[in-house]
Structure formats: C-alpha cells, structure tokens
Amino acid sequence: MTTRAARKTVFDSVAVLILVVMLFPIYWMVSTALKPGKDILSLTPVWFPTHATFDNFRTAMGQPFFWNDVVNSLTVVLSVVAISIALAFLAAVSVARFGFRGRTAFVS
C-alpha cells in the first residue's frame, strides 16, 4: 500500500468515526423516544428498544399547551430561517459585486 493510499484510508477512517460520533445523539434521542419508561430510567443502558412504543408521544401531545409550544417553536424557527436567508443573500451579493481585500478567500 502506498503512503497516499494509507493516508486516504486514515482520513476516511477518521471521517467515519466523526460521522458516528455526530449521529449517535440523534440515534439516542429516537431510541429513547421509543422506549417504555422503565427502560429510559434503567441504570444500565438499553441500546435497542425491544418493545418500541409510541406512548411517550401520546403522553406529550396530551399535555396542556403542547400545541401552543409547537406553534411558538415553528414561529421562531421560520423567522430565524427567513432572516438568515436574507442576510446570506445580501452577503453573497456583496461578495459577488464588490472588490475588497480578502475577497479571494471567499471566492476561491
């Protein structure tokens, strides 16, 4: 194996490790949402829910003001996304139209 191939293998292995580390919290949230209460509060972790249940979702949706909180969250998220898109568009236009020191770092 050449050094170039070995280096590529190491970089790919590190990238896969980073991917696994970044995806694990998402897996754990979904897994925990589908576990019954006794598995969630267990001192030994249950990696795969044996008896998946949607009771946690049913209980959460039955709480008072749940849907108000969902509407509030969606309002904040949509507002932030709209503002971010507008600012990103204006920044892209300024980088594309105007010359300034350090512009090549953005355009290259």
Side-chain angles (χ1 to χ4, degrees):
M1 183 184 289
T2 65
T3 52
R4 184 175 177 152
R7 183 179 294 152
K8 187 175 186 309
T9 303
V10 168
F11 283 138
D12 289 347
S13 300
V14 169
V16 168
L17 179 66
I18 291 171
L19 176 72
V20 168
V21 167
M22 292 181 76
L23 288 179
F24 179 75
I26 297 169
Y27 161 74
W28 194 252
M29 283 189 300
V30 171
S31 172
T32 302
L34 297 175
K35 292 177 190 173
K38 64 181 176 63
D39 287 347
I40 294 172
L41 299 174
S42 171
L43 293 177
T44 57
V46 177
W47 296 101
F48 302 102
T50 54
H51 303 289
T53 179
F54 289 101
D55 287 339
N56 296 329
F57 294 101
R58 204 172 295 118
T59 302
M61 284 188 247
Q63 296 295 318
F65 304 112
F66 174 79
W67 292 110
N68 290 338
D69 295 340
V70 169
V71 170
N72 290 342
S73 296
L74 286 175
T75 303
V76 170
V77 166
L78 293 176
S79 301
V80 169
V81 166
I83 291 169
S84 297
I85 288 174
L87 289 176
F89 172 74
L90 293 174
V93 167
S94 67
V95 167
R97 300 274 296 170
F98 303 113
F100 54 90
R101 188 179 328 155
R103 182 177 182 269
T104 56
F106 289 106
V107 179
S108 64

